[in-house]
Amino acid sequence: MHAVERSTVTVDLGAIRRNAETLRRAAGGAELWAVVKADGYGHGALEVSRAALAGGASALAVATLAEALPLRAAFPEARLLVMGPVEDVAAAREARLELVAVGDEVPEDVPVHLKLDTGMGRWGLAELPAPTRDVVGVLSHLASAESDPDFTMAQIERFRGATAPLAGRLTRHLANSAGTLRYPEAHLDAVRCGIALYGISPFGRDPAADGLEPALRWESYLALVKRLQPGESTGYGRRYVAERETWIGIVPVGYADGFRRDLTGTQVVVEGKPTPVVGTVSMDAIAVELGRRLPTGTAVTLVGEGVTIEDHARVAGTIGYEIATGIVTAPGRARRVVRDG
C-alpha cells in the first residue's frame, strides 16, 4: 500500500445495503429514496447507488444535473430525482429525470415535484400552486429534525395540512434521515435518506444506537518515526512542544486529503490503541504521539474501528456530513477501494 498511495479509503457496500434495509424498515410503509449527491457523500455514487437499490431503495436523489447523468447511464431504469435547480431542462427531459420546482418557475414537459418551504428558508415555494399535469410529487425539507422536536413537528403539520388534498394523487415526501428515524408522522409516501445510508448518525452519536453500520474506513501508516527531546516541537507554530523525551509518528495525510486543520487534538488508532494527533495539522501530514518507538509502515486507522467520523466531527465542531464529503480520493492522495462485506 505505502509505495503507491498515502492513504486508502475502503467503502463497504454490504454496510450500505444493510443500512438501506434498516431505513426502509424504519420508514414503515413509505418508500426509501437514497440520496447519493456529492459523489455518494464521498463514498462513490455509482457503487453506493447499486447497493442502496439492492437494499430496497426505490429511487435515487442528487443535487445537480451533472450528478444525475452518470447515474442514468449506469441505471437506465431507476427513478432519478434532481433536487436542485436545473437550467438545461431539455437535457433532463432526454435523460428521463424528475426535477424539483425550487422557485416560481415550474419546468414543463418533465416530471416535476413542487417544493414547499415549511421552515428551512432556502429552496421552495411559500405556497403550493395548483398542480399541472407534469407534477408528480410534493416535498419539503426538515430544518432541525436532529435537534428541535417542536419546530420539526410544526413543519410536519404544515406540510401535511398543505398537501392533504393531494394525498393519494401525488407522491408526498418530507423526511430526511433524522426524520425517518424519529418522526413517523413525516414518513408519508417516501423518505429521502442520505447521511444515515452511509452509517453516519444524523444525531452525531454512535450510529449503532439506530442500527446503522459505518460504511467507510480510512487508513494510512507511519511514514516516519522520530524522537523529540524536551523542548523540541513538531509542526507549524510549535503548537506541540515535548515536555519529556517523546516518540512521535508522522502520517502522510493532512488537510489537503480532508484531514481538517481543526482536527488537532482528535485521536486516531495505532496498533489498536487511541493515539492523539498533536501539533498543527499541515497540508500533507499529521503528527501522532506514540507511547514507544514503532516501526515505519505501522498501520494507522484515521476512520474505522475505534475512531468514528462522529468523533472527529465533535473535535472539529462540525457535523459528520462535512467530514465524510471532505475526504479527498484522487491520484496522489487517497485511493478508494470498494468491497462487499
Side-chain angles (χ1 to χ4, degrees):
M1 176 179 78
H2 315 320
V4 179
E5 63 275 345
R6 300 148 56 85
S7 66
T8 298
V9 171
T10 303
V11 177
D12 182 356
L13 298 183
I16 299 284
R17 187 174 60 250
R18 290 186 290 274
N19 290 335
E21 293 167 352
T22 296
L23 292 165
R24 190 162 54 86
R25 288 192 297 270
E31 295 182 18
L32 169 65
W33 293 4
V35 181
V36 295
K37 62 182 179 177
D39 195 25
Y41 287 46
H43 292 63
L46 288 173
E47 295 89 350
V48 163
S49 296
R50 187 172 294 109
L53 292 169
S58 56
L60 304 172
V62 295
T64 69
L65 177 64
E67 290 178 333
L69 294 179
L71 294 177
R72 171 54 73 221
F75 306 103
E77 302 306 318
R79 188 174 188 182
L80 259 170
L81 174 68
V82 181
M83 298 184 292
V86 172
E87 293 186 2
D88 192 348
V89 175
R93 187 181 302 115
E94 183 178 357
R96 294 175 292 110
L97 305 177
E98 298 182 23
L99 304 184
V100 172
V102 298
D104 293 333
E105 292 187 12
V106 178
E108 296 181 351
D109 297 324
V110 63
V112 173
H113 299 244
L114 301 176
K115 187 164 191 175
L116 176 67
D117 182 4
T118 58
M120 176 65 86
R122 204 177 53 178
W123 307 116
L125 304 156
E127 301 292 339
L128 286 176
T132 65
R133 62 182 177 84
D134 296 318
V135 173
V136 297
V138 287
L139 75 153
S140 190
H141 193 45
L142 298 174
S144 52
E146 73 289 344
S147 60
D148 190 338
D150 291 341
F151 190 76
T152 301
M153 285 306 303
Q155 282 194 270
I156 293 170
E157 289 167 7
R158 183 181 178 205
F159 184 77
R160 290 180 69 104
T163 62
L166 305 173
R169 296 169 47 201
L170 302 176
T171 301
R172 298 188 297 166
H173 48 112
L174 170 64
N176 54 8
S177 290
T180 301
L181 293 168
R182 292 291 182 276
Y183 295 93
E185 303 90 343
H187 291 169
L188 301 169
D189 301 313
V191 299
R192 307 183 308 271
C193 292
I195 197 70
L197 182 67
Y198 307 95
I200 302 169
S201 172
F203 311 105
R205 64 178 194 168
D206 182 358
D210 288 297
L212 303 172
E213 300 177 45
L216 184 145
R217 184 178 182 90
W218 189 15
E219 298 169 288
S220 188
Y221 63 100
L222 298 179
L224 176 69
V225 175
K226 64 191 302 179
R227 180 168 51 192
L228 297 182
Q229 297 297 333
E232 293 183 332
S233 61
T234 183
Y236 290 110
R238 302 193 73 232
R239 290 177 65 183
Y240 178 82
V241 179
E243 297 179 356
R244 61 188 182 282
E245 187 176 275
T246 305
W247 287 99
I248 63 166
I250 306 301
V251 183
V253 296
Y255 57 78
D257 303 280
F259 199 93
R260 301 160 51 112
R261 199 168 186 269
D262 50 12
L263 284 177
T264 293
T266 194
Q267 293 185 328
V268 296
V269 174
V270 183
E271 284 202 321
K273 298 178 181 178
T275 303
V277 174
V278 296
T280 302
V281 173
S282 61
M283 185 179 291
D284 308 306
I286 60 173
V288 296
E289 185 181 81
L290 306 174
R292 60 188 177 88
R293 183 175 187 174
L294 293 175
T296 58
T298 298
V300 177
T301 301
L302 305 169
V303 173
E305 293 177 14
V307 58
T308 66
I309 282 177
E310 292 85 354
D311 293 331
H312 289 323
R314 281 190 291 273
V315 172
T318 186
I319 54 177
Y321 305 67
E322 192 171 14
I323 300 294
T325 58
I327 299 172
V328 177
T329 53
R333 295 291 170 180
R335 177 179 64 137
R336 185 161 60 203
V337 175
V338 175
R339 69 181 184 90
D340 196 345

